[in-house]
Amino acid sequence: MKRGKVWLAVAGLVIDENGKWLVVKKKYSGLKGMWSLPAGFVNAGETVDEAVVREVKEETGLQTTVKGIVGVRSGVIHHDISDNMMIFLLVNKGISSIHIEEKELWDVRWKSPQELLEDEKTSVMVHEMINQLADQNILSPIEGINPGDQFAYTQYKLFL
C-alpha cells in the first residue's frame, strides 16, 4: 500500500497481571531482531484505536480493548517523510495463548520491564517508555460526541 509522505502508525502496549509487557521481535525494518511493541499502519476507513486492536490481533492473536493513549512518537525521515505513531495502552480480554504472525515476526513474549531494560535487543522506544511510564497520565477514549453534522464524520472519538 502506498503511504505517501505522511505516515500514521499505531503501537499497542499490553501489560499482563504480573506486570509483564507483550513484545514482539520483528523480521524486517529498522527494528529487525529487536524487542518492540506490536505495531503497524492505520488503514483507510479505520480509526487509530481500531487499527491498534487489529495490529495486536494480527501479530499475536490476542484480543484486546483500548484503555487509553500513553504517548505519540513523531519524526521526519530524510527531511521528507513525516512518520507518526500513536502508542496505546491495551487490556487483554483474557485469551492467554499467543499466535505468532510468522511472516513478520521471529518471536512474541511476555517480558518484565527489568528484563527488557537489561536486554540489548530492546528498542530505544520501549526503553524510554519503561523509564517514563510511571509518571505518565493515560488519555482515555470518549465516544458518542458529534462535533457537528457539517463535518460528516462517520466515527469521532476524543482521547482526553
Side-chain angles (χ1 to χ4, degrees), residues 7 29 36-37 47 53 69 94 113 128 150 157 159:
W7 297 353
S29 82
S36 61
L37 300 178
T47 60
V53 168
I69 296 172
E128 290 300 319
Q150 72 274 22
K157 300 174 186 177
F159 289 82

Side-chain angles (χ1 to χ4, degrees), residues 83-101:
D83 181 18
N84 305 284
M85 175 179 278
M86 298 180 69
I87 307 159
F88 287 85
L89 179 62
L90 303 173
V91 176
N92 185 12
K93 287 186 176 177
I95 298 167
S96 57
S97 64
I98 291 173
H99 166 76
I100 300 172
E101 170 48 73

Side-chain angles (χ1 to χ4, degrees), residues 124-144:
V124 170
M125 186 176 89
V126 169
H127 270 270
E128 290 300 319
M129 287 178 65
I130 292 166
N131 291 329
Q132 297 292 325
L133 201 57
D135 303 325
Q136 188 87 349
N137 289 327
I138 304 299
L139 303 178
S140 300
I142 302 167
E143 298 187 54

